[in-house]
Amino acid sequence: MYYLSAIKANSHLNVFLEVYEAEALQRAQEIDRKIAGGTQGRLAGMVVGLKDVISHQDHGLQAGSRILEGFRAQFNATAVERLLAEDAIVIGRQNCDEFGMGSSNENSAFGPVRNGADPSRVPGGSSGGSAVAVQTGMCLASLGSDTGGSVRQPAAFCGLVGLKPTYSRVSRWGLIAYASSFDTIGIIARSVPDAALLLEVIAGKDDYDSTVSQSPVPAYSRQLRLDEKPRIAYIPETIQSAGLSEEIRQTILRNISSLKEDGHRVDAVVFPLLDFILPAYYILTTAEASSNLARYDGVRYGYRSTPAGSLESMYKSTRSYAFGEEVKRRIMLGTFVLSADYYDAYYTKAQKVRRLIKEKTDNIFAQYDFLILPTAPTTAFRLGEHTEDPLKMYLADIYSVQANVAGIPAISIPAGKDQNGLPIGLQIMANRFEEARLLAFAHYLMQHQ
Ligand code: GLN
């Protein structure tokens, strides 16, 4: 199979943690028979990969962490169940930042993933393996997770389409939790029609996730024509920001002017809360992570440190050894912001800021259909460039987290390359549950660039 040879040829990129070669070949044969009999599903033969945070029954699952060493998923994530029911082929499990925490895929217990466009550079994160797999033809599409940009930013760094749906559009059943009120399963693909079809299959109500939306799932893949001229907004500060690379700025400005030339209405809008989005995101996600990751205690899952003295020392040595630096930093930060003396000063305040950000974002979408902005402030940076300074790394998410804080859908599409030949991403956000129009607009933009 073509994909298997691409996996072998690119093993130096460190993309797959496991490849299900025999199983994939056998399934391909079964699906061939179905196709011959005309009984195949909507994704017949589509080869997909799964980020190592999405449960695939009886297969390894580690969230890129030592703490889940040897763990095997006991059930399928709902999204995976639906892919399989439509005859997709799952080819393997993909490397990622530990528990989805990172923007460069350098926080994996399995070592970094390298960008296929330039192996001295990062692929973005945390779904870095999922992006490089699609970039280098190891699979047609991947399921990743996006808590603050983890599908869109690697898609941008690798020249792909990355879709983060509305919060609650896709069931989180079987997705390893990082920050539950932000987490979404997302899609990395080569084209908007592929992403639309996959979303159509995996979205929708699910008895296993009480937070998932009950609203019907449109046939996204058949609604890719832009019906009327949309009203488009942009926030000038996002484009003027000193931290934004000049080439990305020019790319976004060029897109805005060509939309205007084509007769679209594109307006500058005010959004006074930009500086507060990233701090609110990091306070709330670390708080949620410290609670979600409390379950990895050496008793219930995966790795346990031995020999153990008291129960407490076993917990301590297990967690100290098996969690990586970044995960430990976030557990400590999260525990701090939730501690009795600081709860109101940090956690409660960040919740209030989140509410304001949601309201101000809603105000934009009361008047506009789409918000255009960069996906990330730079193109793919070099391995090791930001590892010494976590704050610099956090800034890689400056443009992507708004969608997660507000719970709205967002997509990153390829928008050319910089002078080093590195892909540039353009991001579009839309109102809650407006994926159909978002995909149609993204499709239009990709064809008109
Ligand atoms: N890079 C962001 C973080 O580290 C986003 C991660 C994600 O979306 N999973 O939190």
Side-chain angles (χ1 to χ4, degrees):
M1 201 196 303
Y2 163 80
Y3 297 106
L4 289 167
S5 49
I7 292 176
K8 285 185 189 129
N10 291 297
S11 59
H12 60 290
L13 301 176
N14 199 22
V15 166
F16 276 94
L17 302 177
E18 263 187 280
V19 179
Y20 314 131
E21 179 164 349
E23 195 182 319
L25 290 171
Q26 193 195 337
R27 236 179 107 70
Q29 280 180 0
E30 281 165 25
I31 293 166
D32 273 347
R33 279 196 291 276
K34 282 195 185 176
I35 293 174
T39 59
Q40 76 277 19
R42 282 182 290 170
L43 303 180
M46 187 192 258
V47 172
V48 296
L50 302 176
K51 180 179 182 181
D52 190 24
V53 290
I54 298 176
S55 303
H56 181 200
Q57 191 170 13
D58 298 328
H59 293 76
L61 181 66
Q62 275 189 254
S65 180
R66 278 195 296 240
I67 208 144
L68 278 169
E69 202 172 270
F71 182 75
R72 292 179 84 73
Q74 289 161 12
F75 54 84
N76 279 329
T78 298
V80 172
E81 194 71 42
R82 291 180 183 172
L83 290 183
L84 295 174
E86 293 294 346
D87 290 332
I89 300 175
V90 175
I91 196 149
R93 154 167 91 98
Q94 297 157 333
N95 202 350
C96 60
D97 282 305
E98 188 176 4
F99 287 98
M101 299 177 187
S103 310
S104 66
N105 218 124
E106 291 166 294
N107 297 335
S108 164
F110 301 96
V113 175
R114 290 167 183 275
N115 195 317
D118 174 352
S120 70
R121 293 181 185 265
V122 304
S126 62
S127 314
S130 308
V132 179
V134 179
Q135 178 191 35
T136 56
M138 301 179 181
C139 56
L140 189 70
S142 301
L143 291 192
S145 63
D146 192 313
T147 303
S150 277
V151 151
R152 289 161 285 153
Q153 185 250 21
F157 280 15
C158 295
L160 301 166
V161 172
L163 173 67
K164 173 229 173 288
T166 306
Y167 180 78
S168 85
R169 181 68 294 189
V170 176
S171 168
R172 285 180 294 118
W173 175 250
L175 169 66
I176 292 184
Y178 158 16
S180 310
S181 75
F182 296 77
D183 293 341
T184 51
I185 287 185
I187 296 160
I188 297 181
R190 279 192 179 279
S191 73
V192 172
D194 283 353
L197 180 60
L198 282 163
L199 182 65
E200 191 176 315
V201 168
I202 65 173
K205 64 177 189 214
D206 177 21
D207 292 342
Y208 291 116
D209 177 357
S210 60
T211 63
V212 85
S213 166
Q214 304 288 316
S215 68
V217 179
Y220 301 114
S221 62
R222 279 179 276 137
Q223 297 180 17
L224 288 173
R225 278 214 10 233
L226 200 57
D227 39 14
E228 57 207 48
K229 289 232 154 143
R231 297 156 304 165
I232 303 154
Y234 69 97
I235 304 169
E237 289 84 347
T238 56
I239 301 172
Q240 284 148 12
S241 150
L244 179 66
S245 103
E246 189 54 36
E247 285 177 276
I248 300 182
R249 186 183 351 267
Q250 293 310 330
T251 303
I252 306 293
L253 290 172
R254 210 170 41 244
N255 273 276
I256 290 176
S257 19
S258 66
L259 280 166
K260 283 185 181 161
E261 277 160 28
D262 290 346
H264 292 88
R265 177 172 157 202
V266 191
D267 295 341
V269 294
V270 214
F271 188 81
L273 296 170
L274 271 186
D275 290 346
F276 301 98
I277 301 180
L278 205 58
Y281 169 81
Y282 272 99
I283 289 172
L284 296 172
T285 53
T286 53
E288 292 187 24
S290 72
S291 158
N292 275 327
L293 271 58
R295 72 189 73 171
Y296 304 106
D297 54 9
V299 176
R300 284 170 282 190
Y301 307 91
Y303 175 80
R304 175 182 309 168
S305 161
T306 49
S310 65
L311 183 62
E312 197 179 324
S313 70
M314 189 280 287
Y315 287 159
K316 252 193 198 160
S317 57
T318 298
R319 287 168 68 89
S320 306
Y321 167 76
F323 281 136
E325 286 304 305
E326 182 61 25
V327 171
K328 284 192 268 198
R329 180 179 299 119
R330 295 197 192 193
I331 291 174
M332 286 189 282
L333 258 173
T335 309
F336 177 76
V337 301
L338 289 175
S339 60
D341 283 351
Y342 296 97
Y343 191 92
D344 285 340
Y346 292 106
Y347 184 71
T348 310
K349 200 168 196 172
Q351 290 284 27
K352 289 181 184 161
V353 173
R354 184 178 197 184
R355 159 61 66 96
L356 285 175
I357 292 168
K358 268 191 183 165
E359 283 174 6
K360 297 281 177 215
T361 306
D362 286 349
N363 290 347
I364 295 180
F365 291 116
Q367 292 181 51
Y368 295 93
D369 300 298
F370 304 116
L371 180 62
I372 286 195
L373 66 173
T375 307
T378 64
T379 52
F381 42 91
R382 290 191 191 284
L383 267 90
E385 202 173 317
H386 295 333
T387 38
E388 293 307 309
D389 184 351
L391 282 181
K392 267 204 186 133
M393 192 69 96
Y394 297 171
L395 282 172
D397 306 321
I398 187 126
Y399 299 119
S400 51
V401 292
Q402 182 176 0
N404 306 75
V405 171
I408 57 175
I411 192 166
S412 177
I413 57 170
K417 292 190 172 152
D418 72 4
Q419 58 190 8
N420 295 321
L422 299 168
I424 294 176
L426 176 143
Q427 188 177 201
I428 314 158
M429 295 181 181
N431 207 355
R432 269 178 282 284
F433 299 104
E434 291 291 353
E435 279 86 353
R437 305 191 67 207
L438 177 65
L439 287 159
F441 184 52
H443 194 44
Y444 169 90
L445 270 186
M446 274 184 79
Q447 287 167 331
H448 287 80
Q449 270 175 11

